Amino acid sequence: MIKQQFNPAMAITSISLASMLMMSSPLLQAGERESLEQLRSTTLNLIDMLVSEGVLSKSKADILKKDAEAARLASAEKDALEKAEKQAEKGEPINEVAAKTVRVQYVPDFIKKEMREEVKKELMTKLNYKAGERLGMPDWIDRIEWTGDVRLRFERDAFAEGNASPLNFTANENRNAAVTNTSEDRDRMRLRARLGANIKINDWLSSGIRMTTGSNVDPVSPNQTMESVDSKFSFALDRVFLKAKLGRRLSATGGRMENPFFGTDLVWDPDLAFDGVFAKYTPELSDTVSAFVTGGVFPIDEIQSSDTNKAKSKWLVGGQAGIQWKTSQVSSKFAVGLYDFQNVEGTLNTVNATDYRDTAPAFRQKGNRTFSINSSYVRSLSPSDNKACAYGGPCGLASKFQQLNVTGQVELLTFNPVHIILTGDYVKNIGFDSNDFANKTGLALGSFKKENQGYQVKLSVGTAKVTNANDWEVFGAYKHLEADAVLDAFTDSDFRLGGTDAKGWILGASYGIDKNAWVSGRWLSADQISGLPLGIDVLMFDLNAKF
């Protein structure tokens, strides 16, 4: 037998209607009196049930019962007196029994409805009741929305034969990167857990807080490798922000928040958090066309400059403008963005000094070309051996980064609920300067390529979001990302295990096994474009759940 869920709001409505009928004034016939007594008994049972469920305190229930009984007796007494007075006026004998009998006359439906709403409103006001919460709970609970998800992953990293040794990556000044494995395949069980709250503070201000697993020194991966030797997983804030609604179409956000720009994982890893402030304006141009403009300032690495440390703080100043067109059959979106990374390139130390040591990047994946920050005096000591990075000296990025990004997406809705989505993304580092690059690296002009462009094309077919049972999606993509097209620190951490100087294919599929639960798989096959030989295939199987 299925037990129905107890509904406090419905119970109070029933009590309100019963109270209205019990307090009506005219006389009752025998059958009507019996029905009213049954209704009165049901109402009292409902009140007792509210008490047993913890929704209503016993003291408040006693008050309700007492008030209802007093009102009923008062109404009955009033009716009896009125009848006795009329009988006396006509000279009729007074029937003592009839004078104490109550009759319920016909009440129109609209009057019943009005009376029911009034009684319900009065009861809820007295009991401090709000729909969806128990009695007496503070109102801030209504203003918090909890969110979270858990992902279990099996990952296999397969390395191609003929890959360069990890020592070659460390010793190669212009391709310096912390690559520790290039030949031994690896199987891992990984986990990601996130728990957050969206908070409505008032009509114009809201906030968000989210905790996640993952390393505290890796800004692009919240994954935690599972192994029993780790007694506890780390759990830290990756979202904490305030958002102000400044108008119908204008908002401003500050703190640590999700990526505010429209794009793909060609430029930004999906898990990357942005620190800083940004504003967004979304005007409507017509019934089917809207625009969006986003601009912000984001600190990357705050550095305390001094006489002995001449490095400057690193910043991102970014802006994007786009347009969206949507009908019942097709939706399209197009945007152009410019992301200016300030002070991220390396600067040569003064001879026999380390005054520009902090121009070296605090976090890297791999791919960006580098040079030795100490090379000005290492070359003078040993011109034939310019490998300061190999001996522990700091390496700086050899290029400036001003990324021009163009992103477009077309979504066909003709076969709804199946959507066909084609996405294209292009990026060019217009800050790359060949002369500056040559001066820093010591390479002769003409001996190197710019390697400052990247693109990605992706086709996806399936339901718009895989959130329910039997929802599905399949997709395929091709990516080509040259060494200095974007900062290797912030691009996708899965494709060739992160970084730039990579090209290859991505295939994947997802299937909903129940509400808010789905399985997915991805295969990413990537090779180097021009750098040291390094081919990596990554296979991932995920079980996802969210709430």
Side-chain angles (χ1 to χ4, degrees):
M1 181 175 181
I2 298 175
K3 184 179 179 180
Q4 293 185 346
Q5 186 176 5
F6 180 70
N7 191 323
M10 185 178 295
I12 288 179
T13 303
S14 301
I15 293 172
S16 304
L17 179 57
S19 301
M20 175 194 72
L21 293 175
M22 288 191 296
M23 291 186 291
S24 298
S25 59
L27 297 176
L28 279 171
Q29 298 292 343
E32 293 171 333
R33 184 184 302 112
E34 183 180 353
S35 297
L36 184 59
E37 288 301 322
Q38 291 177 355
L39 179 58
R40 180 174 178 272
S41 178
T42 301
T43 302
L44 295 176
N45 289 337
L46 281 173
I47 293 175
D48 291 338
M49 189 179 297
L50 286 171
V51 174
S52 64
E53 288 289 328
V55 178
L56 186 65
S57 67
K58 189 175 185 307
S59 60
K60 290 184 178 180
D62 291 340
I63 293 173
L64 283 175
K65 291 179 181 179
K66 184 177 178 180
D67 290 346
E69 181 64 18
R72 184 184 70 82
L73 294 175
S75 178
E77 184 178 353
K78 179 181 178 182
D79 289 342
L81 290 173
E82 289 178 353
K83 182 174 179 61
E85 289 175 357
K86 291 180 180 179
Q87 289 175 337
E89 290 175 359
K90 296 179 180 180
E92 297 176 356
I94 299 176
N95 188 336
E96 295 296 336
V97 176
K100 297 179 181 180
T101 303
V102 179
R103 174 182 295 275
V104 178
Q105 291 181 335
Y106 170 74
V107 180
D109 289 340
F110 75 93
I111 295 179
K112 291 180 183 178
K113 183 177 180 180
E114 289 180 359
M115 293 176 66
R116 181 170 64 247
E117 292 299 324
E118 288 178 2
V119 174
K120 178 181 176 181
K121 182 178 179 181
E122 183 179 354
L123 282 173
M124 289 184 174
T125 301
K126 288 182 178 179
L127 298 175
N128 191 27
Y129 180 87
K130 292 189 177 182
E133 68 177 48
R134 289 190 178 273
L135 304 182
M137 298 296 287
D139 62 355
W140 57 263
I141 291 180
D142 279 344
R143 295 185 277 112
I144 298 180
E145 178 190 14
W146 294 99
T147 63
D149 62 81
V150 176
R151 182 180 68 195
L152 300 179
R153 167 176 290 175
F154 169 77
E155 177 178 332
R156 179 172 179 80
D157 305 329
F159 297 88
E161 295 184 4
N163 285 345
S165 166
L167 294 176
N168 292 338
F169 286 90
T170 304
N172 188 300
E173 179 182 3
N174 300 135
R175 300 284 182 175
N176 176 264
V179 177
T180 58
N181 178 28
T182 62
S183 59
E184 299 298 323
D185 295 347
R186 184 181 189 186
D187 296 329
R188 287 185 287 177
M189 296 289 292
R190 313 196 80 188
L191 177 145
R192 182 190 70 183
R194 300 184 295 190
L195 177 64
N198 297 318
I199 307 165
K200 182 180 178 181
I201 298 174
N202 51 46
D203 291 338
W204 64 274
L205 188 64
S206 60
S207 179
I209 299 174
R210 191 176 75 180
M211 305 286 289
T212 186
T213 52
S215 170
N216 291 330
V217 296
D218 187 343
V220 292
S221 178
N223 293 314
Q224 192 85 42
T225 299
M226 291 188 281
E227 49 189 354
S228 297
V229 295
D230 281 345
S231 59
K232 295 178 177 64
F233 293 153
S234 58
F235 209 54
L237 279 171
D238 79 326
R239 297 285 188 274
V240 51
F241 62 87
L242 286 173
K243 181 178 180 180
K245 187 177 181 181
L246 305 178
R248 184 168 174 265
R249 297 290 176 180
L250 178 64
S251 65
T253 306
R256 169 164 288 193
M257 54 269 174
E258 66 180 0
N259 184 355
F261 302 111
F262 169 60
T264 71
D265 58 14
L266 181 73
V267 177
W268 312 111
D269 185 275
D271 293 308
L272 177 66
F274 276 64
D275 289 11
V277 295
F278 75 91
K280 190 167 188 177
Y281 179 54
T282 56
E284 285 187 354
L285 305 181
S286 70
D287 292 341
T288 58
V289 181
S290 61
F292 54 94
V293 179
T294 306
V297 179
F298 311 93
I300 297 175
D301 186 8
E302 195 276 330
I303 296 172
Q304 177 61 63
S305 300
S306 66
D307 293 338
T308 58
N309 185 3
K310 297 181 180 179
K312 297 180 180 179
S313 294
K314 302 170 185 179
W315 294 81
L316 164 61
V317 179
Q320 185 183 61
I323 192 168
Q324 185 172 10
W325 175 58
K326 188 173 184 179
T327 68
S328 60
Q329 299 295 318
V330 65
S331 175
S332 59
K333 198 172 185 179
F334 177 83
V336 178
L338 179 62
Y339 312 116
D340 183 13
F341 291 88
Q342 299 180 358
N343 306 319
V344 297
E345 68 276 9
T347 301
L348 286 170
N349 281 321
T350 304
V351 176
N352 297 327
T354 59
D355 45 355
Y356 288 101
R357 60 189 178 278
D358 283 343
T359 61
F363 174 81
R364 284 192 61 205
Q365 297 192 84
K366 57 181 178 292
N368 289 160
R369 289 179 288 185
T370 60
F371 73 103
S372 170
I373 293 175
N374 292 335
S375 60
S376 58
Y377 66 88
V378 170
R379 283 175 181 159
S380 65
L381 296 175
S382 179
S384 62
D385 186 8
N386 180 24
K387 295 181 180 178
C389 296
Y391 301 110
C395 278
L397 301 181
S399 174
K400 296 181 178 180
F401 285 86
Q402 293 176 328
Q403 299 168 188
L404 178 65
N405 184 210
V406 180
T407 308
Q409 186 178 84
V410 177
E411 182 176 2
L412 299 180
L413 311 174
T414 308
F415 309 101
N416 193 50
V418 175
H419 293 215
I420 300 175
I421 305 173
L422 179 64
T423 306
D425 205 3
Y426 172 80
V427 64
K428 181 177 182 179
N429 178 15
I430 60 177
F432 186 93
D433 184 288
S434 296
N435 291 323
D436 183 56
F437 184 86
N439 291 333
K440 289 178 178 177
T441 61
L443 299 174
L445 285 172
S447 64
F448 58 87
K449 297 180 180 179
K450 281 191 173 182
E451 299 186 47
N452 64 335
Q453 300 183 68
Y455 62 88
Q456 178 173 265
V457 179
K458 179 180 179 180
L459 178 64
S460 175
V461 179
T463 48
K465 286 186 177 180
V466 180
T467 56
N468 297 305
N470 301 320
D471 287 351
W472 61 275
E473 179 194 27
V474 294
F475 65 87
Y478 180 80
K479 181 186 291 190
H480 180 102
L481 189 60
E482 295 176 353
D484 299 312
V486 301
L487 272 180
D488 65 24
F490 298 148
T491 190
D492 183 19
S493 61
D494 295 328
F495 191 68
R496 208 176 68 135
L497 297 181
T500 61
D501 186 33
K503 62 179 180 179
W505 295 90
I506 306 170
L507 299 175
S510 298
Y511 181 76
I513 55 177
D514 207 333
K515 183 178 180 180
N516 296 326
W518 69 100
V519 293
S520 60
R522 284 194 300 161
W523 175 65
L524 306 91
S525 180
D527 296 298
Q528 79 287 344
I529 295 176
S530 65
L532 296 171
L534 182 61
I536 305 175
D537 288 354
V538 180
L539 183 64
M540 299 176 177
F541 292 106
D542 297 338
L543 173 61
N544 307 272
K546 71 174 184 179
F547 61 89

